[in-house]
Amino acid sequence: MVDVAFKDLCIDATAGNGRPAAVARFWADALGLEATGAGGEDSKLSPPHGDADERTIWVNAVPEDIAGKTRVHLDLCVPDGDPAPLLAAGASLIRSADPGRPWHVLEEPDGAAFCVFPPATEPGAGPSGHGAYELVVDAADAGSLAAWWAERTGATVHHHPVRPFVWLEGVAGLPFERWEFNPVPEPKTHKNRIHWDVTLLDATVDDLVAAGSTLLREPAPDGKWWVLADPEGNEFCAFEP
C-alpha cells in the first residue's frame, strides 16, 4: 500500500530586489523548465510537454531572508561535473570538488546551497544522467526518517557501504533518481527553504498524523492543501488527488 506520491517541489525565495524572479530563471535554465508567472513574485516552472508533471517546481516569494544552513537541497548532475554554466547563470561557488568529495557546492541566486556531480563512470556508482539527480534531506536520525518516508511512498531503503547516509529508490512519483537522507549533528531550527508536496493516495491526513506527522495548518478557505511536518519537522504539503 502506498500512502502518498511525490507531487512537486517548492522553493522559497526572499521577496523584493527581483530575487524570486532570479531564482526562477536560474532553476528553469538549470533544469530545462519553462518559467511562467503565477501572480505577484511567485513563479511556476513547468516541464516540457509530455514530461512528468512531478518535475514541476514552484518558486514562492517569502518575507524572511534565508536563515542558516539549507537542510533540504537538490543534487545536480552536469557534463564532466563542470559548474561553469551554472555559475554563468547566476550561481556562486562555495566549495570546489576534491578527491575526497568529488562534487562542487554552489549557491543559487537567493543563497540556497546545492551540489553538482559529474556523471558516474560505473553503473550504480552515482548519477546516470544530466539534470536533477536526487533530493537530499539532512536528518538527526537519517535511517529512521528514510524508513518513515519509505513506508509512506512504497520505496526501498538503501545504505551506503562506507558513508553514513541512506537513500530511497522507487519513491512513488519521484522524478529524481533517488531521495537521500544525510545524518547531521545539528537539529532543525527554522523553516526549510525547499519543501515537497505529496498527493494523498491510500491515506488521509489523519492517517499521516497517526503515523507520526504533525498537522501545521488546515486548508485555507481558498486553498486545497494541508501543511504538515514529518517526524523531524520537515514541512510538506498534502493534496487530495
Side-chain angles (χ1 to χ4, degrees):
M1 184 175 70
V2 178
D3 292 344
V4 301
F6 182 92
K7 181 178 181 294
D8 48 36
L9 202 65
C10 299
I11 299 176
D12 287 351
T14 307
N17 296 322
R19 279 190 282 181
V23 169
R25 287 193 301 270
F26 173 80
W27 285 113
D29 289 345
L31 301 178
L33 303 175
E34 180 181 352
T36 55
E41 292 191 281
D42 299 341
S43 296
K44 178 182 180 181
L45 311 185
S46 303
H49 180 68
D51 280 18
D53 287 342
E54 288 83 1
R55 287 186 61 203
T56 298
I57 294 178
W58 298 89
V59 177
N60 301 320
V62 297
E64 65 273 6
D65 285 318
I66 193 167
K69 178 186 175 186
T70 304
R71 289 180 73 87
V72 180
H73 72 267
L74 283 173
D75 284 349
L76 273 57
C77 177
V78 300
D80 300 321
D82 183 5
L86 298 169
L87 296 173
S92 302
L93 181 65
I94 303 304
R95 183 186 65 77
S96 295
D98 58 51
R101 296 177 295 180
W103 61 89
H104 302 278
V105 181
L106 283 73
E107 286 183 352
E108 43 98 295
D110 196 41
F114 65 99
C115 299
V116 176
F117 288 75
T121 56
E122 298 179 6
S128 60
H130 299 157
Y133 161 50
E134 61 186 357
L135 179 64
V136 182
V137 180
D138 288 349
D141 189 337
S144 293
L145 191 60
W148 191 87
W149 277 107
E151 188 172 354
R152 308 281 79 74
T153 62
T156 56
V157 181
H158 300 262
H159 297 262
H160 194 277
V162 178
R163 295 184 175 130
F165 63 81
V166 298
W167 71 91
L168 305 184
E169 294 182 5
V171 174
L174 191 73
F176 317 123
E177 290 188 36
R178 63 190 201 178
W179 190 354
E180 181 179 301
F181 295 83
N182 183 46
V184 296
E186 70 275 2
K188 182 176 184 292
T189 58
H190 51 270
K191 176 188 173 189
N192 290 334
R193 295 293 276 195
I194 297 179
H195 76 267
W196 53 92
D197 296 338
V198 301
T199 301
L200 297 167
L201 298 178
D202 291 321
T204 65
V205 168
D206 288 342
D207 293 332
L208 295 180
V209 171
S213 294
T214 301
L215 179 61
L216 301 180
R217 196 189 73 198
E218 295 276 0
D222 58 347
K224 299 179 181 179
W225 61 90
W226 292 260
V227 182
L228 298 98
D230 69 15
E232 287 210 10
N234 297 299
E235 301 87 0
F236 67 97
C237 296
F239 291 73
E240 290 186 342

